Amino acid sequence: MIQVHIARQFDVRTADGRRLNADELHAEGERLMQALLDLEQCNDDFCDSVTATDADMGTVLVELLISDETETGAFDKSRTIVRTAIHAIGGHTPWDVSAESGADYRPRDVQLEYV
C-alpha cells in the first residue's frame, strides 16, 4: 500500500462560461471542502482534504492524501472522489455529460507526490 499527495487544480466558471467573482469562487471552494469532508467520513482510503481558491486566476485547488496499491489506482481514486464532491454541490466536470446549471470545473493541473 502506498500513500500519495494529489493536488488537482480546476478552472471554475459558470455554465455560460463567465468567471465567478471572488465571493462566488470562495463560497464554491467552501462548499466543495464540506463535501470532501463528508466523503472522508465514509472512506478510509483518503484523508486531509484541503481546498484553496484563487480569485485572480479563477481556480480551485483540491488536495488529498490517498492510499492505494498503485500510483495509477490512487490517481483514478482522486478523480472519482473529487468528481463526486463536485457533483454533490451541483457542479459538473468534463467527465460527465450534463446540462446542469452549477459551476463548470475544468481540469487545469494535477500533481502527485509520494508521502
Side-chain angles (χ1 to χ4, degrees), residues 56-72:
D56 291 335
M57 301 269 305
T59 61
V60 171
L61 177 68
V62 177
E63 298 183 39
L64 309 166
L65 286 181
I66 305 248
S67 298
D68 200 274
E69 294 298 321
T70 66
E71 194 175 284
T72 302

Side-chain angles (χ1 to χ4, degrees), residues 58-100:
T59 61
V60 171
L61 177 68
V62 177
E63 298 183 39
L64 309 166
L65 286 181
I66 305 248
S67 298
D68 200 274
E69 294 298 321
T70 66
E71 194 175 284
T72 302
F75 181 83
D76 291 343
K77 192 177 293 182
S78 75
R79 183 178 59 217
T80 300
I81 291 165
V82 173
R83 179 181 62 208
T84 301
I86 290 169
H87 291 181
I89 63 170
H92 51 98
T93 64
W95 304 302
D96 57 77
V97 181
S98 67
E100 295 180 51

Side-chain angles (χ1 to χ4, degrees), residues 6-13 19 25 52-62 75 79 82 86 92-95 104-112:
I6 297 181
R8 291 181 164 273
Q9 185 179 41
F10 296 86
D11 285 320
V12 181
R13 304 287 186 266
R19 184 181 270 188
L25 186 66
T53 56
D54 183 332
D56 291 335
M57 301 269 305
T59 61
V60 171
L61 177 68
V62 177
F75 181 83
R79 183 178 59 217
V82 173
I86 290 169
H92 51 98
T93 64
W95 304 302
D104 181 29
Y105 283 73
R106 294 288 165 179
R108 183 176 177 144
D109 294 311
V110 178
Q111 294 180 334
L112 183 145

